[in-house]
């Protein structure tokens, strides 16, 4: 299968590219600068130098592929609404290229705004600024074969630059590994390579579902995360008010925990990587 991957040099996307190539698939990936393009080429993928704003390039690449995986998203939280709009435009362009065919499009979303213990059948949070899942739904109404991969809030592994490093950085800066209230709000987690397999398996099994959950640890309390971080940094672990966390307060207080039962069943997917709390014991996370 020839798969076009956006975000092919990102934390999740690069793992998806590697997994696809290792499984014998041909990959074309999007890279936005020369350094990223060279790194992508070294993995064995064909490189297209462009950005998510180059909609005609996205359409051409999607038209030339057997399937499309969209993992790209600008995670600059200072301009999240702008990034969400860019993401929506890219998904619409990819869908335009695939309309009238049976070639699938997998888009990426998260768990924010979903109820605790959400299943793959739960509707997305329509109030969310990120519209990737809703954009996929609109394309589906036009006959485009789309599905959404919902990622756990922590897609972890050494080199992670997502939310867990923010927790570690805040602990260092403030001198305390903190949580809000009793810290019983829960996050899901998934090892990076395990998440990548969900995308591949969904394509190989024909994209029969509307939603897949790339989730291994279904529910880890924020207090447990803070406990490991505090111990590894030799810092006290204490409750703090929301203002302690600044812009990160909503994330630190949120429950983003969901079930993976349907995805495991339909894909025959069994995560093999370390759990979130075990992974956080690695010294490299704190180097």
């Amino acid at each position: 299968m020839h798969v076009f991957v956006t975000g092919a040099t990102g934390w999740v996307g690069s793992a998806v590219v590697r997994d696809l190539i290792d499984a014998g698939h041909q990959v074309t990936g999007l890279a936005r600068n020369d350094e990223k393009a060279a790194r992508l080429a070294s993995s064995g993928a064909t490189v297209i130098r462009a950005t998510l704003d180059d909609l005609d390039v996205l359409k051409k690449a999607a038209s030339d592929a057997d399937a499309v995986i969209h993992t790209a998203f600008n995670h600059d939280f200072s301009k999240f609404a702008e990034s969400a709009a860019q993401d929506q435009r890219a998904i619409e362009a990819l869908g335009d290229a695939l309309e009238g065919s049976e070639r699938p499009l997998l888009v990426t979303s998260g768990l924010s705004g979903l109820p605790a213990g959400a299943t793959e059948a739960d509707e997305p949070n329509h109030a969310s600024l990120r519209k990737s899942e809703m954009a996929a739904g609109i394309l589906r109404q036009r006959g485009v074969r789309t599905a959404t991969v919902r990622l756990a809030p922590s897609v972890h592994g050494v080199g992670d630059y997502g939310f867990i490093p923010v927790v570690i950085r805040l602990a260092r800066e403030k001198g305390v590994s903190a949580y809000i209230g009793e810290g019983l709000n829960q996050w899901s987690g998934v090892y990076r390579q395990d998440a990548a397999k969900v995308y591949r398996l969904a394509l190989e099994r024909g994209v029969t579902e509307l939603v897949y959950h790339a989730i291994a640890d279904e529910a880890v309390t924020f207090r447990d995360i803070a406990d490991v971080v505090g111990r590894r940094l030799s810092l006290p672990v204490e409750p703090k008010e929301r203002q302690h966390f600044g812009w990160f307060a909503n994330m630190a207080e949120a429950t983003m925990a969901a079930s993976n039962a349907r995805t495991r069943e339909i894909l025959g997917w069994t995560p093999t990587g370390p759990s979130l709390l075990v992974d956080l014991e690695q010294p490299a996370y704190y180097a």
Side-chain angles (χ1 to χ4, degrees):
M1 192 183 306
H2 175 203
V3 185
F4 173 49
V5 180
T6 72
T9 61
W11 176 245
V12 174
S14 60
V16 170
V17 169
R18 181 76 271 155
D19 188 68
L20 287 168
I21 290 174
D22 287 348
H25 299 290
Q26 178 188 350
V27 175
T28 295
L30 197 69
R32 66 177 183 269
N33 61 46
D34 291 339
E35 178 185 353
K36 293 178 183 294
R39 189 163 66 246
L40 179 58
S42 70
S43 73
T46 299
V47 180
I48 294 177
R49 268 283 271 113
T51 74
L52 286 185
D53 292 320
D54 297 315
L55 300 183
D56 288 340
V57 175
L58 297 184
K59 290 179 182 179
K60 176 64 167 60
S63 295
D64 292 341
D66 299 316
V68 178
I69 294 176
H70 176 59
T71 68
F73 192 85
N74 183 348
H75 288 92
D76 181 349
F77 291 98
S78 67
K79 50 182 181 181
F80 191 84
E82 180 181 329
S83 298
Q86 180 191 51
D87 177 55
Q88 185 172 358
R89 289 192 298 271
I91 292 170
E92 290 168 352
L94 295 168
D96 287 344
L98 297 173
E99 188 171 5
S101 77
E102 284 297 307
R103 291 171 293 143
L105 166 63
L106 294 179
V107 306
T108 304
S109 189
L111 304 182
S112 180
L114 293 173
T119 72
E120 293 86 342
D122 277 282
E123 289 288 319
N125 174 19
H126 294 280
S128 172
L129 286 176
R130 186 168 181 175
K131 302 299 183 184
S132 47
E133 194 164 347
M134 279 72 83
I138 291 170
L139 290 177
R140 197 157 47 243
Q141 292 172 10
R142 289 166 43 191
V144 181
R145 196 167 159 210
T146 60
T148 300
V149 176
R150 291 174 180 163
L151 291 172
S154 177
V155 182
H156 56 88
V158 173
D160 177 5
Y161 48 84
F163 294 133
I164 291 296
V166 174
V167 174
I168 294 170
R169 184 168 65 251
L170 277 170
R172 278 201 171 104
E173 291 173 355
K174 304 283 189 174
V176 58
S177 184
Y179 52 90
I180 296 173
E182 295 183 359
L184 298 181
N185 58 299
Q186 297 171 328
W187 284 13
S188 290
V190 63
Y191 191 57
R192 180 190 182 203
Q193 282 76 14
D194 286 327
K197 291 176 185 175
V198 171
Y199 291 87
R200 173 175 58 81
L201 291 171
L203 291 186
E204 290 177 345
R205 283 159 173 72
V207 189
T208 60
E209 306 295 294
L210 301 183
V211 174
Y212 300 91
H213 280 180
I215 291 163
D217 296 313
E218 293 186 339
V220 181
T221 69
F222 197 86
R223 170 64 186 267
D224 285 342
I225 294 170
D227 282 341
V228 175
V229 171
R231 179 162 44 77
R232 297 301 303 180
L233 294 177
S234 299
L235 293 173
V237 180
E238 301 173 2
K240 293 290 182 181
E241 298 299 321
R242 282 176 51 87
Q243 57 264 32
H244 172 90
F245 294 88
W247 69 269
F248 192 65
N250 287 340
M251 296 298 298
E253 191 176 36
T255 285
M256 296 174 287
S259 166
N260 61 23
R262 177 64 177 170
T263 299
R264 283 177 177 259
E265 175 190 1
I266 203 71
L267 297 183
W269 176 64
T270 302
T272 58
S275 68
L276 173 57
L277 296 181
V278 168
D279 208 21
L280 278 178
E281 295 287 354
Q282 295 194 72
Y285 255 103
Y286 308 91

